[in-house]
């Protein structure tokens, strides 16, 4: 079949398909970063595959969790990130919420504050997976640089999660 035999697909249709499968992100007024992506699965099928920090880390291929210890309904996490010049070493506590998982800083070297919220929300016939995070480091890095890195990591993680969930 030659290319002239293929039906012409309108550009707006191609763009809407590409945008629907791509994560969206923004920096909110409080300085936190929010990123989300639509998946073609109902929340009740998505959340059981993302209901712990280690499951989210495995699906997103983010890594960084050195250890995870269950404490009641929550998890105590030891995280580590090796940067070019510095190593950030911190401990967090992740607990379930009504629609997701909230992680907050307990203590850490290189971190002033850290909070993230993973949510799985109904979105038409599927789900919206959303991560909102706010990171303040004690490193000499401008907040905009930290936010840009958080957006890049969040979007990559969401693309990996979408691919893994929709492949099953």
């Amino acid at each position: 079949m030659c290319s002239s035999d293929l039906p012409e697909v309108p550009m707006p249709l191609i763009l809407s398909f590409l945008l629907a499968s791509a994560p969206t992100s923004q920096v909110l007024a409080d300085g936190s970063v929010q990123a989300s992506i639509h998946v073609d699965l109902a929340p009740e099928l998505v959340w059981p595959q993302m209901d712990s920090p280690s499951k989210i880390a495995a699906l997103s291929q983010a890594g960084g969790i050195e250890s995870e210890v269950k404490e009641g309904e929550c998890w105590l996490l030891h995280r580590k990130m090796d940067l070019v010049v510095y190593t950030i070493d911190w401990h967090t506590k992740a607990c379930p919420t009504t629609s997701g998982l909230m992680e907050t800083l307990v203590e850490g070297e290189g971190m002033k504050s850290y909070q993230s919220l993973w949510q799985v929300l109904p979105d038409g016939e599927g789900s919206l997976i959303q991560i909102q995070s706010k990171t303040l480091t004690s490193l000499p890095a401008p907040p905009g640089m930290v936010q840009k890195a958080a957006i890049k990591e969040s979007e990559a993680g969401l693309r990996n999660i979408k691919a893994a969930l929709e492949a099953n």
Side-chain angles (χ1 to χ4, degrees):
M1 176 182 277
C2 15
S3 62
S4 62
D5 296 336
L6 297 174
E8 188 173 317
V9 178
M11 186 58 79
L13 185 60
I14 293 170
L15 288 175
S16 66
F17 171 77
L18 291 174
L19 291 175
S21 63
T24 59
S25 58
Q26 62 181 328
V27 177
L28 302 177
D30 70 353
S32 62
V33 168
Q34 184 181 72
S36 58
I37 197 163
H38 175 86
V39 295
D40 292 330
L41 296 167
E44 59 271 12
L45 298 175
V46 173
W47 188 245
Q49 298 180 68
M50 295 182 59
D51 64 359
S52 75
S54 60
K55 287 181 182 179
I56 292 170
L59 287 172
S60 67
Q61 301 174 17
I65 297 178
E66 297 286 308
S67 66
E68 174 181 300
V69 177
K70 186 84 163 132
E71 181 183 81
E73 291 293 311
C74 299
W75 294 265
L76 298 176
L77 305 171
H78 174 209
R79 292 184 170 273
K80 193 172 188 178
M81 182 183 302
D82 290 317
L83 304 173
V84 176
V85 180
Y86 300 100
T87 296
I88 301 176
D89 193 352
W90 73 102
H91 297 266
T92 61
K93 186 172 188 173
C95 298
T97 67
T98 56
S99 63
L101 191 68
M102 171 75 78
E103 185 176 353
T104 55
L105 180 68
V106 174
E107 64 177 353
E109 186 177 313
M111 296 292 257
K112 289 182 183 175
S113 69
Y114 173 78
Q115 183 173 13
S116 69
L117 174 63
W118 282 94
Q119 293 182 292
V120 177
L121 307 165
D123 188 31
E125 299 282 322
S127 301
L128 185 70
I129 300 173
Q130 182 174 283
I131 170 78
Q132 183 172 330
S133 65
K134 187 170 185 178
T135 305
L136 294 173
T137 72
S138 55
L139 304 177
M145 181 184 286
V146 175
Q147 291 164 337
K148 187 175 181 178
I151 286 172
K152 184 177 178 182
E153 183 178 319
S154 296
E155 287 182 351
L158 287 169
R159 279 191 294 274
N160 291 338
I161 289 170
K162 178 181 177 70
L165 291 174
E166 291 181 349
N168 293 331

